[in-house]
Amino acid sequence: MTQPAFFKRPPPSTLAEIAASTGSLLVDASRGDIRIIGLASLDQAGPMHLAFFDNHKYAGQLAATKAGACLVSPRFEADVPAHVAVLRSKAPFRAFVSIARDFHGDALRPQSWFDNTAVAASAVIHSSAYLEDDVVIDPLAVIGPDVQIGRGSVIGSGAVIGPGVRIGRNCNVGAGTTIQATLIGNNVLIHPGCHIGQDGYGFIFFGAEGHVKVPQTGRVLIQNDVEIGAGTTIDRGSLRDTVIGEGTKIDNQVQIGHNVTIGRRCLLAAQIGLAGSLTIGDNVALGAKVGINNHLHIGDGAQVTAMSGVKDDIPANGRWGGYFAKPTRQWFRELLAVERLVRDGAPDAGSPKAAPKDRVIE
């Protein structure tokens, strides 16, 4: 069975053209006419592929590569095998991404899964909804009353857009996504299977009548240039809005509770859990599986190590990690101190001792 290629193949480019496009220097100008037909990793590249090298961990792959050309920084240039053309760059990976964006622009933003260019006949669109020109609606999507969708946006198959939702221009809403009580800016990319604008986890717990539900009457506001990974859930606010700031990038399977405010240009890795009513500043980076308690403030520029649990405010530009999270240097000192205690203790310090007979718990 023929194996499909899921993205368009770029037209061949010469090394001279690639050097000009990426701002790199082709060290041996006589190789400028060599043709490159694609991009590949060092270990999978062939004579007509371009690769990059920027991490000494992969020096073995560089030595064995069959790539035709390699983007590399000046300090690693001498390590490139003689048969590989060298493209010298101060930032090889950035240059590689630049040419990848030129080669594979169709991979940056998903288009219709049905090669659709208009509104599919099976889409359900309420008569009061307003769609600007050049909006694409894939089969079986549902667009509710008073929805507005801007020019160039694509709504995936099976997506459900609830009453009054506003979606800006050049946005993508992935298949199977549900959106309600939400205002979305321009150039927003929402991957498949997201659920945005459902009510938050608001209850008066353990009352005489059981757990009493608190109405959640706020909204979700998603500003321009935000990307939201597959399977992410964002609860609407209870009284105030849940806000995702401009340029923020959210990975897959992230839970964002009600009333959360996330600043501009933040990075949230996979499986993060953000409890309600917390505030995150601008340019904050949170590693995978970070959990943050409610009503906290994470300052501008803060970074939190993956798998950390945060129960205290973090100051601006703080570097925190651990469980429970604390300044990274303090966390490392404590880990080293514990390791020294175990290493320098009695020979049997690491083995559990039997409790005295009069203290044994049956």
Side-chain angles (χ1 to χ4, degrees):
M1 182 180 294
T2 302
Q3 297 299 312
F6 293 103
F7 301 101
K8 296 177 181 177
R9 296 186 182 276
S13 299
T14 66
L15 286 181
E17 291 170 339
I18 291 173
S21 173
T22 60
S24 56
L25 174 67
L26 180 59
V27 173
D28 183 356
S30 67
R31 298 186 177 187
D33 290 334
I34 291 177
R35 288 158 62 88
I36 296 297
I37 63 170
L39 312 176
S41 58
L42 287 166
D43 59 335
Q44 295 186 337
M48 299 185 75
H49 287 129
L50 172 69
F52 79 96
F53 178 78
D54 198 24
N55 187 333
H56 201 267
K57 177 181 178 180
Y58 300 102
Q61 292 185 12
L62 178 64
T65 190
K66 297 179 181 179
C70 184
L71 284 155
V72 65
S73 63
R75 72 185 184 117
F76 293 130
E77 183 179 329
D79 299 327
V80 179
H83 66 275
V84 179
V86 173
L87 290 162
R88 183 192 300 154
S89 173
K90 293 181 179 179
F93 182 59
R94 186 175 291 273
F96 187 81
V97 170
S98 173
I99 196 67
R101 289 173 64 91
D102 289 341
F103 278 13
H104 300 294
D106 59 325
L108 293 173
R109 180 176 293 279
Q111 298 303 309
S112 166
W113 289 5
F114 292 82
D115 201 21
N116 195 19
T117 58
V119 177
S122 63
V124 179
I125 301 177
H126 194 275
S127 60
S128 63
Y130 174 72
L131 279 57
E132 290 188 339
D133 294 338
D134 301 321
V135 170
V136 174
I137 310 291
D138 268 350
L140 304 177
V142 177
I143 311 299
D146 299 316
V147 169
Q148 296 182 17
I149 302 176
R151 183 177 60 248
S153 290
V154 178
I155 309 300
S157 179
V160 179
I161 313 300
V165 167
R166 303 289 188 265
I167 298 174
R169 294 173 175 169
N170 299 311
C171 294
N172 286 79
V173 175
T177 290
T178 62
I179 303 176
Q180 57 182 314
T182 299
L183 307 181
I184 298 173
N186 299 323
N187 194 39
V188 172
L189 174 52
I190 301 172
H191 287 275
C194 292
H195 300 291
I196 300 172
Q198 61 282 338
D199 59 348
Y201 192 64
F203 297 89
I204 298 174
F205 296 111
F206 300 109
E209 303 175 5
H211 305 311
V212 179
K213 188 175 183 66
V214 178
Q216 308 286 295
T217 57
R219 306 171 297 181
V220 176
L221 307 182
I222 300 175
Q223 296 179 359
N224 296 342
D225 303 315
V226 168
E227 184 163 344
I228 300 172
T232 287
T233 55
I234 305 175
D235 297 341
R236 68 176 182 262
S238 55
L239 294 177
R240 71 180 194 183
D241 296 325
T242 300
V243 180
I244 312 298
E246 181 178 7
T248 285
K249 311 300 182 184
I250 300 171
D251 201 355
N252 300 337
Q253 297 180 332
V254 172
Q255 156 62 15
I256 299 174
H258 60 192
N259 305 330
V260 169
T261 296
I262 299 175
R264 297 170 294 175
R265 299 178 299 278
C266 293
L267 298 173
L268 279 66
Q271 296 185 337
I272 286 171
L274 303 181
S277 300
L278 65 88
T279 301
I280 295 175
D282 297 338
N283 302 304
V284 171
L286 305 178
K289 294 190 176 182
V290 164
I292 304 181
N293 203 5
N294 54 13
H295 300 283
L296 297 182
H297 183 274
I298 311 301
D300 293 348
Q303 297 181 10
V304 182
T305 304
M307 302 180 71
S308 297
V310 181
K311 67 177 182 64
D312 300 301
D313 292 346
I314 297 179
N317 300 311
R319 302 292 183 267
W320 283 42
Y323 196 89
F324 287 107
K326 58 194 69 176
T328 303
R329 290 184 179 180
Q330 177 185 344
W331 176 38
F332 285 170
R333 286 197 299 268
E334 292 176 1
L335 289 175
L336 291 172
V338 172
E339 289 176 0
R340 282 196 298 269
L341 285 172
V342 174
R343 184 181 64 243
D344 300 339
D348 60 349
S351 302
K353 297 180 178 180
K357 290 183 178 180
D358 59 347
R359 297 183 62 190
V360 171
I361 299 175
E362 298 295 340

